[in-house]
Structure formats: structure tokens, C-alpha cells
Amino acid sequence: MSNGPYGKITCDCGALSLLVCGSPLAIGRDVGGKPVAFWPLEAILIGQGADELDVSPEGRGGETWACRRCEERLLYADDEAGVAVLAGHPEDISDPEPALTSSVQRRLESLSYRVVSEQ
């Protein structure tokens, strides 16, 4: 566990929670224009409900992490990029300067994500 900043993401039914440690690599938008944050995969920890975590392959090459009970999708994980994509903009964290390599940014763009410099 990190001594730095962290956030908690909980599914709708409360059975599963994830902890996100540190700061996002960048802020972006999904294909629908909704805000997302890009985090290093190693920054994601299971807070509670490990038995409720459903990790399913996605057609885009990564995997979706969702709650088995309420089926809410909590994140998209892309092993090739080493990045987890979480919906929304993290609270209490100012917009980071993008810390993605150009190859990771290209990979995310190929998955229809767009890295932005502001919210």
C-alpha cells in the first residue's frame, strides 16, 4: 500500500471496492466524450470483495474488471499498455501533465481513448 494519495472506487452494490494509489498518468476522454483517467496497472489494489471481482477478456485485447453481483464495470485494463482506464476525473488531484510514452498514447488512441490536457 502506498503512503501517497489514493482513491477508492466502489461498485453500485458495495460488494467490491478497488483502491487506486498515487496519481494518474493522464486524463482523457472515451469514445463518447466522457472523462476517464489513465493509471498504471500496478496502482490498482483490491480493497474488498476479491471474490466478487469478475475479470473478463474484452474484444479490444484487454480485460474488463466488474462486480459479479451488480455487474458494474469498474475499469478497463490493458496489459499491452500497462494502463488501467477508470471512468471519471479523480477528485482532489489537479490535472496531471501527461506521463505516457508515445507508444502507450498511440495504443490508447487505437482503443478510441483520447488523452487531453484539461478536464
Side-chain angles (χ1 to χ4, degrees):
M1 181 78 146
S2 168
N3 289 331
Y6 73 95
K8 183 177 178 181
I9 301 155
T10 304
C11 67
D12 287 337
C13 74
L16 174 64
S17 69
L18 303 175
L19 299 176
V20 182
C21 303
S23 297
L25 297 169
I27 301 300
R29 300 280 175 182
D30 67 12
V31 69
K34 294 182 180 172
V36 296
F38 305 107
W39 295 81
L41 275 176
E42 62 270 6
I44 310 298
L45 304 170
I46 298 172
Q48 72 178 28
D51 294 342
E52 301 300 334
L53 177 62
D54 177 43
V55 178
S56 301
E58 261 249 351
R60 302 183 287 178
E63 50 196 25
T64 298
W65 293 19
C67 175
R68 290 185 198 280
R69 286 190 194 178
C70 67
E71 300 180 356
E72 180 184 4
R73 177 184 146 174
L74 297 177
L75 65 84
Y76 168 77
D78 190 85
D79 288 330
E80 183 178 324
V83 172
V85 181
L86 286 81
H89 186 275
E91 296 176 15
D92 301 330
I93 296 177
S94 60
D95 291 330
E97 287 294 318
L100 300 171
T101 64
S102 58
S103 64
V104 169
Q105 187 163 340
R106 282 192 305 274
R107 169 69 180 160
L108 292 170
E109 288 170 356
S110 76
L111 297 169
S112 299
Y113 293 108
R114 182 172 49 95
V115 176
V116 296
S117 57
E118 72 279 339
Q119 271 180 246

